[in-house]
Amino acid sequence: MKNRLFFLLIFFLHSFVFAQGKKDSLFLFVKNNPAQDTTYVNTLNLLAHEYMNNANDSCLLYADQAIFISKKLNYIRGQAVGLNKKAEFFNGKGEYQKALQLGLESYKLFEKINAHRSMSNIMNSIGNTYLGINNKAKALEAYIKSYDIAAKDS
């Protein structure tokens, strides 16, 4: 029994240290690379994702920075991912209307660049958000659209 507990403790400690190490590495990249290019934007979006569950203000800060720089670079994918990170954040907080607005905005940008897999994933998330506000008809509509996009892309 003690061995199992010990191994569980080591496993969870390792997972925590690894996750923190990833955040630190991403943060150092942003801090040490002043060139605000697409790699920089992608790293900001990864940071937004990493901080989604435990440092909400940081999540929004990094997503907003990614969106702002993406607009300057005309980097549509970076802007769409940033908007989607914000949609996920607000969905998690139960702010479904804001999440829907951001999710649909993100979807339209992915549509511009024909990113079908991302479009399908976001439409599925939009379906989940509609379920959160108990709009089953809209949720079903979004799920079907997600499926149709995925089926065409296969």
Side-chain angles (χ1 to χ4, degrees), residues 35-133:
Q36 295 186 344
D37 57 8
T38 57
T39 302
Y40 187 85
V41 169
N42 292 338
T43 306
L44 289 171
N45 280 324
L46 286 171
L47 273 167
H49 181 78
E50 288 298 317
Y51 283 103
M52 178 98 40
N53 295 320
N54 59 357
N56 296 335
D57 292 343
S58 296
C59 171
L60 288 179
L61 174 77
Y62 290 123
D64 282 337
Q65 286 179 352
I67 293 165
F68 179 77
I69 295 167
S70 293
K71 285 180 181 177
K72 286 194 327 189
L73 297 173
N74 197 29
Y75 180 41
I76 294 172
R77 177 176 295 280
Q79 188 179 347
V81 171
L83 288 166
N84 187 49
K85 292 300 159 204
K86 289 180 72 170
E88 290 175 7
F89 167 78
F90 286 114
N91 193 49
K93 284 186 67 176
E95 295 184 39
Y96 299 120
Q97 292 303 325
K98 201 177 269 191
L100 282 171
Q101 175 205 350
L102 291 163
L104 289 168
E105 219 177 311
S106 176
Y107 177 85
K108 288 175 187 170
L109 289 173
F110 278 124
E111 195 173 34
K112 276 186 179 180
I113 59 172
N114 293 315
H116 295 111
R117 185 176 193 174
S118 297
M119 290 165 55
S120 177
N121 288 339
I122 289 173
M123 195 50 63
N124 189 68
S125 294
I126 288 170
N128 293 340
T129 304
Y130 277 123
L131 275 182
I133 57 176

